[in-house]
Amino acid sequence: MAKAFKYGLKGITGHLEPAERELLRGLIDDVVSMLEPSQAADQDPLAALVGLDMDVRQPTDRALLRLLPNVMKDDDAGSLEFRQLTERSLRESKIGALRAAAMGLDRKELTLTQDEAKLWSMALNDIRLVLAERLDIRDEADADHVHAMQDWSQAEDVESYLALVYNFTTWLQESLVQSMMAAMDRR
Amino acid sequence: MTTTVATAIGVDVEERTETSEQSSTAVLAAPDIPWNLVVWNDPVNLMSYVSFVFQSYFGYPEAKANKLMLEVHRKGRSIVAYGAKEQVEQHAVAMHSYGLWATVEKASSAGTGKGGARG
């Protein structure tokens, strides 16, 4: 059974069962594969090197758009221009956090430094954002509705299963953030 | 897989602890600064996490971070930083890397926000 993250003498520690680790690995893989840039064959290597991507477009997938939002509310052209300059590195930093969390899952002891904990919290947040889009969580009422699903015996279809997974990652992230706050207080 | 995780879920508790709104001086009002960084509310991000990001990334004290977080939560948006365009754009990318929904806007078009107000 998973234990909530806590901050103590050994730092930030948690405990996850093999099946829970497997679940998180799967979620991480899913989000990483969404974020991996589709590499165009005719990509200018120098542009790629400095992180430019002139072929980039606003994502059509809502979940991906939530991970990589427009930087200006009412200026699509300005947002696209900014995207060309920054999206590639944003994708890479998100993938980096997700991979760091995946590596942590391979360790027997779940003891995290503050830096690792931060990467984990970013990774869990992106996982939750994607799950929330798939669950169609648009407002607080939707969120409450999903949150009410707490019993795994209720998992009878994909949606209820996703809701339970979402609540599990929410619980995990909340305990992690509380631990990071506690660690920050004692610096 | 389900049963193992089920037990974990049984432990329960996502507590979105609301820290009481503490007073913080009006640091948001500053003249002659052209761009604002706006963070928007969404039903997914944890209140604790948003506050953590404000503390961790901007180095804001807990009281100020909570105040801004609650403003996002209650009013739907909050101006959390301002400065030169390039600077707030850099902040916006950082917010996106944390998974917060952030945009930049000219201070004059701030609309509902109070950050654009001249001190």
Side-chain angles (χ1 to χ4, degrees):
Chain A
M1 171 171 102
K3 288 186 192 141
F5 280 104
K6 64 177 197 294
Y7 177 67
L9 290 174
K10 289 204 272 181
I12 297 168
T13 56
H15 176 80
L16 291 167
E17 293 297 330
E20 295 158 345
R21 290 171 185 243
E22 206 46 51
L23 171 68
L24 288 173
R25 274 192 203 98
L27 294 167
I28 288 171
D29 285 349
D30 287 348
V31 180
V32 167
S33 63
M34 284 172 65
L35 285 167
E36 272 172 341
S38 47
Q39 195 66 263
D42 57 350
Q43 173 80 44
D44 178 345
L46 183 61
L49 192 70
V50 295
L52 291 179
D53 189 351
M54 304 319 279
D55 300 326
V56 76
R57 293 289 170 269
Q58 178 178 317
T60 46
D61 177 56
R62 290 186 69 128
L64 192 56
L65 182 59
R66 182 59 190 81
L67 295 180
L68 310 166
N70 282 344
V71 78
M72 280 177 257
K73 189 101 172 142
D74 303 308
D75 184 351
D76 286 351
S79 291
L80 182 62
E81 196 181 322
F82 189 70
R83 207 174 265 287
Q84 291 168 341
L85 301 173
T86 59
E87 189 185 288
R88 182 177 290 268
S89 66
L90 178 59
R91 283 174 185 259
E92 281 164 5
S93 88
K94 284 178 175 292
I95 291 171
L98 288 154
R99 293 230 164 99
M103 278 172 68
L105 287 170
D106 291 339
R107 295 201 307 251
K108 198 157 170 277
E109 298 285 335
L110 212 54
T111 304
L112 306 178
T113 64
Q114 288 189 45
D115 286 343
E116 288 168 340
K118 193 161 89 175
L119 294 172
W120 268 70
S121 71
M122 292 166 134
L124 285 170
N125 206 70
D126 281 348
I127 289 169
R128 292 182 57 247
L129 288 172
V130 171
L131 287 170
E133 280 301 333
R134 303 293 182 239
L135 282 162
D136 228 16
I137 298 179
R138 299 273 168 259
D139 54 31
E140 311 284 343
D142 295 339
D144 289 346
H145 177 71
V146 167
H147 185 61
M149 288 282 294
Q150 292 287 355
D151 182 355
W152 283 85
S153 66
Q154 292 174 281
E156 42 202 24
D157 52 25
V158 173
E159 200 195 342
S160 53
Y161 177 75
L162 280 182
L164 290 157
V165 170
Y166 176 79
N167 289 333
F168 171 66
T169 52
T170 301
W171 168 78
L172 201 59
Q173 192 197 13
E174 179 65 47
S175 77
L176 182 59
V177 173
Q178 295 300 336
S179 306
M180 291 193 295
M181 299 271 216
M184 235 174 6
D185 287 344
R186 285 187 220 176
R187 267 195 312 226
Chain B
M1 184 195 287
T2 5
T3 46
T4 334
V5 185
T7 356
I9 293 290
V11 176
D12 186 28
V13 225
E14 170 216 358
E15 284 189 358
R16 303 187 181 194
T17 40
E18 290 209 18
T19 317
S20 64
E21 197 164 1
Q22 290 163 334
S23 64
S24 155
T25 44
V27 273
L28 292 171
D32 306 325
I33 293 182
W35 285 79
N36 289 332
L37 175 71
V38 180
V39 171
W40 300 82
N41 190 36
D42 74 55
V44 179
N45 285 335
L46 297 169
M47 294 168 82
S48 56
Y49 180 66
V50 173
S51 177
F52 169 79
V53 171
F54 293 166
Q55 290 176 58
S56 164
Y57 175 76
F58 294 109
Y60 291 159
E62 191 180 352
K64 178 175 178 180
N66 284 334
K67 183 175 180 283
L68 292 172
M69 175 275 287
L70 287 170
E71 191 170 89
V72 173
H73 184 68
R74 290 175 184 155
K75 296 186 181 161
R77 52 170 269 160
S78 174
I79 293 163
V80 302
Y82 48 71
K85 185 165 187 253
E86 292 72 23
Q87 196 186 355
V88 291
E89 282 177 345
Q90 200 185 335
H91 292 331
V93 176
M95 292 301 102
H96 295 171
S97 74
Y98 279 101
L100 268 55
W101 180 22
T103 57
V104 302
E105 64 184 26
K106 274 187 191 144
S108 55
S109 67
T112 56
K114 62 179 177 181
R118 305 184 75 89

